[in-house]
Structure formats: C-alpha cells, structure tokens
C-alpha cells in the first residue's frame, strides 16, 4: 500500500516510532494532493485536511510498500477521528497515483489556521515524540502480542487522539 502523509508523519522520527522501524529513503518521495488545505485541528498540535476547491494543494510525502502491520500501527496512531480513504495524489514526477490518505471524521471541526511542519517541529515535536512512543508501546502490535501472551485483554480504553485511539477495522486496507 502507498500512503500520503501530510502532517506529523512527515517527520522521520514520528514515522519510525509509529511503524516500529525506520523507513528507508527509497521508500519515500515528495508528493502533493490537490483540492485541500492543511489546517490545525482545534486545540491540538497536529493537522487535518480541509477540502478547498480551486487552487488548494498540500505538499507531503508518499510512503511506499506498507504492509498490513504498518497499516494497523498507523490506524492505532491516527485513532478513531481519522479514516483511511483512497485518493489520487501527484507523486514526485507529477504523475497521479492512488494512495491512502487519513482524513478527519466529519465530527471534527477544522481550525482556521494553516498548520506548518516547521512550527510544529520547533514547538511540539519533543513532547509529541514521547507521547507517540507511549501510545505505540501500549497499543502497537508487539504490545498487543505481549498482552495476549500474558492473558491481558487486548482491547484498550478509548483515549483522546493526541495520545491514542482504538484502531478502526483493518479491513479498510487499500490494495497497492
């Protein structure tokens, strides 16, 4: 599967924590999606895409060759506010490709301010990395397997998105 990332997942440290492994440079390329703006989720330090007809476009990264475990971990990270949707994005060469994109649930109201990676990196990255690590330790596949081996229930309580979320069904995998 290919995934278009446009927010905190563009940061290699965040992506490594979420996937539980480093992503090699050959597995990523710059990309962009048209018809959207990248805005803050109100009260949070991460973005969402907001439909913006006309000249709206968002630059991000296209991550290639993600397996089912990676998609599961990404769904855990994104939580119930986000849904994985197949959309067309332009790859580094400008060619259209189908990729999964996490879009916010309609119940989440968009913020008015644009979201910028540089500002997030300067102001929020350090704490965000710590929270992402805690989340993935609690809910990532290895943690789930450890829980199952110890007889601990696998279902975790719902948490706010900025720390977690229970993954939606993995049946939404997008065939690459």
């Amino acid at each position: 599967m290919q995934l278009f990332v446009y927010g905190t997942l563009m940061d290699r440290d965040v992506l490594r924590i979420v996937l539980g492994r480093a992503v090699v440079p050959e597995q990523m390329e710059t990309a962009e999606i048209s018809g959207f703006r990248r805005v803050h989720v109100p009260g949070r330090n991460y973005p969402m895409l907001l439909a913006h007809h006309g000249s709206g476009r968002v630059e991000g990264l296209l991550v290639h060759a993600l397996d089912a475990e990676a998609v599961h971990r990404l769904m855990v990270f994104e939580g119930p506010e986000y849904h994985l949707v197949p959309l067309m994005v332009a790859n580094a060469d400008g060619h259209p490709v189908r990729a999964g994109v996490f879009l916010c649930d309609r119940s989440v109201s968009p913020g008015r301010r644009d979201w910028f990676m540089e500002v997030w990196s300067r102001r929020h990255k350090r704490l965000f990395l710590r929270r992402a690590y805690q989340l993935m330790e609690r809910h990532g596949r290895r943690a789930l397997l450890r829980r199952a081996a110890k007889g601990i229930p696998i279902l975790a309580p719902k948490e706010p998105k900025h720390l977690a979320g229970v993954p939606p069904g993995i049946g939404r995998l997008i065939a690459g």
Side-chain angles (χ1 to χ4, degrees):
M1 179 188 128
Q2 297 184 103
L3 179 71
F4 175 75
V5 296
Y6 57 87
T8 58
L9 287 169
M10 291 190 304
D11 183 274
R12 287 186 186 268
D13 296 328
V14 173
L15 195 57
R16 180 183 41 76
I17 288 169
V18 172
L19 296 180
R21 62 177 171 77
V23 176
V24 294
E26 297 79 29
Q27 198 177 346
M28 299 173 69
E29 66 177 301
T30 59
E32 69 178 35
I33 190 167
S34 297
F36 292 94
R37 275 181 55 214
R38 179 178 29 224
V39 297
H40 276 271
V41 173
R44 316 275 175 79
N45 59 23
Y46 51 84
M48 65 184 282
L49 289 180
L50 175 63
H52 186 267
H53 303 291
S55 63
R57 69 180 183 83
V58 173
E59 294 177 355
L61 295 173
L62 193 58
V63 184
H64 302 282
L66 294 171
D67 60 15
E69 181 180 350
V71 172
H72 172 78
R73 291 178 66 89
L74 287 157
M75 288 177 151
V76 166
F77 174 74
E78 293 294 350
E81 299 181 314
Y82 286 81
H83 302 283
L84 189 55
V85 177
L87 294 174
M88 296 304 287
V89 302
N91 68 9
D93 297 326
H95 296 102
V97 296
R98 185 173 181 243
V101 181
F102 280 101
L103 297 180
C104 261
D105 191 84
R106 292 177 193 240
S107 65
V108 178
S109 299
R112 293 188 176 133
R113 296 180 297 127
D114 287 337
W115 184 91
F116 298 100
M117 184 72 170
E118 307 79 33
V119 174
W120 173 84
S121 291
R122 224 177 26 253
R123 293 183 183 169
H124 305 288
K125 180 177 175 176
R126 186 181 319 169
L127 178 59
F128 194 92
L129 288 176
R130 187 170 40 230
R131 289 180 173 176
Y133 179 79
Q134 291 168 348
L135 165 67
M136 298 315 297
E137 277 296 302
R138 279 198 309 271
H139 301 293
R141 185 161 192 240
R142 289 186 194 120
L144 292 176
L145 292 175
R146 283 194 305 269
R147 284 177 175 204
K150 293 178 181 177
I152 300 171
I154 290 180
L155 292 178
K158 288 189 178 183
E159 300 177 20
K161 165 33 171 118
H162 53 274
L163 275 179
V166 177
I170 199 158
R172 290 193 193 164
L173 286 177
I174 297 171

